[in-house]
Amino acid sequence: VSEAAVAPLLHEGVRIGEGRLRAAGIESSRLDAELLMASVLGVGRERMVLDRLEPVGLEAWERFQELVARRVAHEPVAYILGRREFRRITLAVDRRVLIPRPETELLVEVGLELPSGAAVVDVGTGSGAVALALKSEREDLVVSGTDVSADAVAVARFNAGALGLDVQFVVGDLLAGLKCDAVLANLPYVPDGESLPADVAEYEPRVALFAGADGLGVIRRLVRQLDGVSVVALEHGLSQGDAVSQLLAAGGFRFVERLRDLAGHERVAVGRR
Ligand SMILES: C[S@@+](CC[C@H](N)C(=O)[O-])C[C@H]1O[C@@H](n2cnc3c(N)ncnc32)[C@H](O)[C@@H]1O
C-alpha cells in the first residue's frame, strides 16, 4: 500500500509531508508541513500537537499532498495559503504582489512616530502592507499607497476593503503626484542579474525586486522627488545602508538615522529635514 493511498494519523501525515519538503531542500520543512496541514483542516497550528493521534480524512490527506507538491516546487507558503500576517493584520497575497517581510515592519514603526493627522504615502505598496498596518494602528493619519503595478493596487484595494481601512491606493510611478508630510517605501533594491533563491526568483514579481545595475535606480529617482516631505524611511538591501544614507543627505535630509532588523542588519534609512 503506498503512503498516498491510505490516510494516516495527523502526526504521521505531517511527518511524511515534512520529509518530502526536507528532501526537496526546504529549510523550514516542519513548520511548512504543519502550516499546510492546518490550512487543509481549517484549524490552528496548535491542533497539530493536540490532535496528533486523530486520523486525517482521505480527502484532506489528498489535498495536503497537493499543497506539499506545490511547496516542493518552491512555491512560497504565503502564496499557497493566500495570506500573510504583517504586524497585527492579515493580508491576502498572491503572485501579483511581493510577500511582506518582517523587516518591513520597521517602516511602520517610523510611521507610528509621526504627528497626529500627518499625510503619509507608502510608495511601492504591493499588497498594501505598510499603509494598511499603519492605518490599523494610527487611525488619525491620512494614509495612501501607490504602486506602478495595477495588479498590486488591485490586491491592496481588496485588502483595504477586507480590513475595513480607509486608505487610498493609486496606480502610478513613485509618488504619483501625491503631496504628503512623510514617505515610507520598500521599493525594489536588488541589483539586476543578482541570483535569488528559487522561492523568490520563480514566484515573486520581478518589478518588485530588481532596480538597475546597483539596485538603487528606483530609490535614487524617489529621493529626487521629495521636496516638501519632512520624513522619509527607505528600506534597502544588506549592503546598501551607506549608499542610501548618502542619497538622503545629498537630497537635503540633515538628520539620517539607520535602523536594524531583528538579525542586527541595517535595513532602513530614515531621513528628517
Ligand atoms: C519590494 S516590493 C514591496 C511591496 C510592499 N511595500 C511590501 O513591503 O510588501 C516593491 C513594490 O514597488 C513597486 N514598484 C516598483 N517600481 C515602482 C515605481 N517606479 N513606482 C511605484 N511603485 C513601484 C512594485 O510593483 C512592488 O509592488
Side-chain angles (χ1 to χ4, degrees):
V1 181
S2 82
E3 279 176 349
V6 176
L9 300 181
L10 187 51
H11 76 99
E12 293 168 339
V14 170
R15 207 186 53 231
I16 291 167
E18 177 190 3
R20 288 190 189 145
L21 297 178
R22 198 179 330 108
I26 307 287
E27 278 175 24
S28 50
S29 53
R30 178 75 195 181
L31 172 66
D32 291 3
E34 289 187 354
L35 288 169
L36 297 179
M37 183 65 93
S39 148
V40 161
L41 297 175
V43 299
R45 189 158 70 92
E46 73 285 354
R47 299 315 304 180
M48 300 306 102
V49 176
L50 299 172
D51 299 341
R52 60 190 300 279
L53 297 177
E54 297 291 324
V56 181
L58 196 53
E59 216 174 292
W61 176 234
E62 281 169 4
R63 179 89 188 106
F64 173 68
Q65 291 181 96
E66 287 165 17
L67 300 193
V68 167
R70 287 170 67 180
R71 186 72 188 112
V72 162
H74 288 271
E75 183 171 348
V77 170
Y79 289 155
I80 300 175
L81 302 183
R83 63 172 191 276
R84 174 67 158 223
E85 277 75 41
F86 185 76
R87 287 187 70 91
R88 301 177 191 171
I89 59 175
T90 300
L91 296 151
V93 293
D94 60 34
R95 292 180 67 174
R96 292 175 291 173
V97 292
L98 187 101
I99 298 163
R101 308 293 204 270
E103 57 270 21
T104 303
E105 297 189 6
L106 289 169
L107 296 179
V108 181
E109 288 170 22
V110 173
L112 292 176
E113 291 169 8
L114 293 169
S116 184
V120 191
V121 180
D122 169 17
V123 176
T125 194
S127 63
V130 172
L132 294 169
L134 182 60
K135 185 69 180 179
S136 76
E137 295 179 46
R138 282 287 305 275
E139 215 195 329
D140 61 290
L141 298 175
V142 179
V143 183
S144 314
T146 71
D147 207 292
V148 75
S149 156
D151 273 348
V153 165
V155 175
R157 286 183 181 146
F158 173 87
N159 279 319
L163 293 162
L165 291 169
D166 181 16
V167 174
Q168 185 201 7
F169 290 104
V170 179
V171 181
D173 183 49
L174 300 175
L175 276 165
L178 297 179
K179 298 271 173 275
C180 60
D181 305 302
V183 163
L184 309 174
N186 175 22
L187 284 163
Y189 51 69
V190 181
D192 289 348
E194 187 167 306
S195 76
L196 295 169
D199 305 34
V200 180
E202 288 171 25
Y203 290 93
E204 300 201 85
R206 294 188 69 79
V207 65
L209 300 170
F210 296 102
D214 65 356
L216 295 174
V218 182
I219 288 177
R220 199 175 278 120
R221 276 203 307 116
L222 174 65
V223 173
R224 286 196 217 110
Q225 297 182 9
L226 297 179
D227 288 349
V229 172
S230 317
V231 180
V232 57
L234 301 173
E235 183 171 329
H236 56 72
L238 292 184
S239 59
Q240 295 170 332
D242 287 342
V244 174
S245 299
Q246 281 162 20
L247 285 176
L248 288 176
F253 291 92
R254 282 182 61 205
F255 308 98
V256 178
E257 184 188 3
R258 292 156 75 155
L259 307 181
R260 291 173 188 272
D261 64 17
L262 292 174
H265 302 299
E266 286 184 344
R267 298 308 304 270
V268 169
V270 187
R272 294 183 174 84
R273 298 276 182 200

